[in-house]
Amino acid sequence: MDHRQITRGLRFTLTAVYTLVFTLLLVGVALLFRQTLVSSLDTQVHEHLDQNWAVVKAYLHIVNDRGLTNYHPNWNYDHDDPDESNTVAGVQGVYVIADDQGHVLDDGMSATYETLGEDKPDQIRAVLRSPQPVWLQKHDDKGVPYLIRASYVTGETDPNKKFYVAIGVPLADSQKLQTRFTWMIAGLIPLVIVTGCGMGWVFTGRALKPVVEVAETAQSISGSNLSLRIPSRGAGDELDRLIETFNQMIERLEVSFNQIRQFSTDVSHELRTPITIIRGQLEVALFTATTVEQYREAIINSLSDIERLSQIVRALLLLSQAETGQVVLQKQQLDLTEVLEGIVDQFQIPAEGAGVTLTFDNRTARCTGDFDRVQIERMISNLMSNAIKFTPPGGEVKVTLDRHEDMAEIRVHDTGEGISPEHLPHIFDRFYRVRGAGEQASPEKGLGLGLSFVAWIVRAHGGTIDVQSELHKGTTFRVLLPLHPAAPGMAEGAVAPGEVVRSS
Ligand code: ADP
């Protein structure tokens, strides 16, 4: 398989789409996680500083016991209580206290805060005016970030005097955590994608294997080995259904191929028999006939066999023309009663010859519609000649005409030999003949084209045909024809959608 074949394959497309979707999902989830982590760390730091501020409020007193202007912080807590000492020490890690002029008080700044750089007097005044705490980020001389919570407290002795107090915590730990998380997912995502992509490739390969097998079997199927079937996997899934459909298709093809093969054999036989007879008759005449009478007889016999030959060839030609849409219907206003009466009359003599009673039962006053006279006559003749042919002497053939609103119903019923259920579904197929074991094709038996042609004529007129038959009891063909087809042009030339229904 070359590069282009791989990239065009279903396996590649499926894996690529799957990998893309998987990657997008993974990156999306990772970003969401990171965002959640950042915001929860942020909330934690803010809460921590809010708690520290509560400590400031509780323990920090700004006093000026050293003179009027000399204010200084007094952390008033129980030095013997380790809890209190630790809490206050935690706050004292990073803090600054300044007066409203921006001057840092004595003992008003932790060593760490000094490394963060001084707070500008303007900024301090802004904080003193703000009812809400002000949050800012500062960096020490080594670049470590700190979150600062700046607000104010009032003087112990003078409640009108505000003092600027800023406390902070280093953000190094939470930033380190964020960075570590980012690196971790950045390293993991490609790994997971590569693994997922590999697994996708393997699984789609496995899933598509039956498709490849179907393709290989299909490739090895040809006209000569149509008996090949793809074994079902027994999973009952979509692929099994595909295999089943494929096998059914091959089966239908096999049936068609066999019919065509059978047909070729039958046609050769049908054509060979009259040709052999003609040849025999002519040879006999040539070598043995002495009188004009004998010659004449040989020629007359040969002509009748030649007529049989041309009938076969005409039937074949007509059917192939009909099925390839070359027969154009010549529609005209036609009274079906009159047509049927005419044909029944014509068939009286052959029916009598076969010892069969032929009757016509007209159950409607008028049944006129747009039909091709030649084709309709051909259709009814076919049905009637079959009925007479397959009915033993003493039997009965009955033709009825009925009308249901815009539909004409023609029935050709006989009390003949009937058709067994296994043959019934096939009798409208081309070249299909019901023939007993060992029975040879004979001129009386026909070519099996009659009913295919009947079905085509019915379809071309927008109608339907069905058959009911019981072995040794008789057969009824029922044709329904629309008197005024909905789309008149549709049946012209091309076969209109119709239906052939068989039932027993
Ligand atoms: P064929 O030219 O051989 O008659 P058809 O297509 O007209 O071919 O008919 C196909 C087969 O259907 C016939 O071989 C015959 O066995 C069966 N068939 C048709 N009509 C009847 C009928 N009325 N009674 C019994 N069998 C019939």
Side-chain angles (χ1 to χ4, degrees), residues 134-424:
V134 175
W135 299 90
L136 23 130
Q137 259 207 44
K138 299 183 95 177
H139 291 83
D140 69 6
D141 44 10
K142 292 194 192 82
V144 177
Y146 282 76
L147 182 68
I148 307 295
R149 185 193 194 281
S151 190
Y152 62 83
V153 295
T154 48
E156 179 80 356
T157 46
D158 181 359
N160 289 327
K161 193 142 177 82
K162 288 178 176 173
F163 292 93
Y164 172 81
V165 179
I167 54 175
V169 280
L171 293 174
D173 281 351
S174 70
Q175 287 212 335
K176 224 182 273 169
L177 204 65
Q178 282 175 33
T179 317
R180 211 181 313 147
F181 181 82
T182 310
W183 276 110
M184 196 180 75
I185 54 174
L188 262 182
I189 285 178
L191 201 76
V192 174
I193 289 171
V194 170
T195 317
C197 177
M199 277 164 62
W201 182 255
V202 171
F203 283 132
T204 44
R206 237 184 250 176
L208 291 174
K209 196 164 160 245
V211 179
V212 177
E213 280 169 9
V214 172
E216 278 166 5
T217 314
Q219 263 168 9
S220 61
I221 289 174
S222 70
S224 51
N225 67 349
L226 275 171
S227 55
L228 225 67
R229 297 286 179 277
I230 304 162
S232 170
R233 293 148 61 244
D237 56 8
E238 290 84 350
L239 280 169
D240 265 356
R241 279 210 294 283
L242 174 76
I243 291 172
E244 198 185 322
T245 314
F246 185 80
N247 282 343
Q248 284 167 355
M249 188 189 77
I250 299 293
E251 197 160 325
R252 285 197 296 274
L253 276 180
E254 192 181 12
V255 169
S256 302
F257 261 66
N258 286 343
Q259 277 178 8
I260 291 169
R261 242 179 246 139
Q262 180 65 41
F263 170 72
S264 313
T265 319
D266 291 348
V267 168
S268 329
H269 192 87
E270 297 288 340
L271 297 181
R272 209 182 53 204
T273 312
I275 290 174
T276 316
I277 295 171
I278 296 166
R279 189 180 169 163
Q281 284 166 348
L282 293 179
E283 276 174 359
V284 169
L286 189 64
F287 295 118
T288 62
T290 46
T291 64
V292 173
E293 222 23 66
Q294 283 169 332
Y295 278 114
R296 178 183 271 277
E297 197 186 327
I299 292 170
I300 290 172
N301 287 343
S302 303
L303 274 177
S304 103
D305 285 312
I306 287 169
E307 178 54 25
R308 162 82 186 153
L309 270 180
S310 8
Q311 259 176 26
I312 295 171
V313 173
R314 263 204 310 273
L316 286 175
L317 197 67
L318 207 61
L319 190 69
S320 84
Q321 281 174 343
E323 293 193 341
T324 49
Q326 293 174 47
V327 176
V328 178
L329 295 186
Q330 310 288 335
K331 283 192 180 173
Q332 50 173 288
Q333 275 283 306
L334 210 64
D335 183 3
L336 284 180
T337 317
E338 178 233 318
V339 175
L340 283 175
E341 270 169 2
I343 303 172
V344 170
D345 275 354
Q346 279 173 29
F347 272 87
Q348 284 302 348
I349 292 170
E352 266 170 40
V356 172
T357 318
L358 173 61
T359 52
F360 174 45
D361 180 7
N362 183 22
R363 299 177 182 170
T364 170
R366 208 174 133 74
C367 206
T368 311
D370 290 335
F371 304 108
D372 180 324
R373 178 182 276 274
V374 176
Q375 303 300 354
I376 292 288
E377 284 180 353
R378 182 171 280 146
M379 170 192 84
I380 296 169
S381 301
N382 255 304
L383 292 175
M384 276 168 59
S385 73
N386 273 350
I388 294 168
K389 193 162 65 179
F390 296 107
T391 302
E396 198 190 321
V397 172
K398 191 168 154 192
V399 181
T400 47
L401 175 66
D402 221 334
R403 180 179 175 160
H404 311 285
E405 292 175 4
D406 271 356
M407 294 295 258
E409 185 192 68
I410 303 166
R411 282 172 188 264
V412 179
H413 167 76
D414 66 60
T415 57
E417 62 188 53
I419 305 161
S420 64
E422 81 257 27
H423 294 301
L424 209 54

Side-chain angles (χ1 to χ4, degrees), residues 35-45:
Q35 194 50 41
T36 314
L37 181 78
V38 168
S39 72
S40 80
L41 284 173
D42 200 48
T43 316
Q44 252 181 34
V45 180

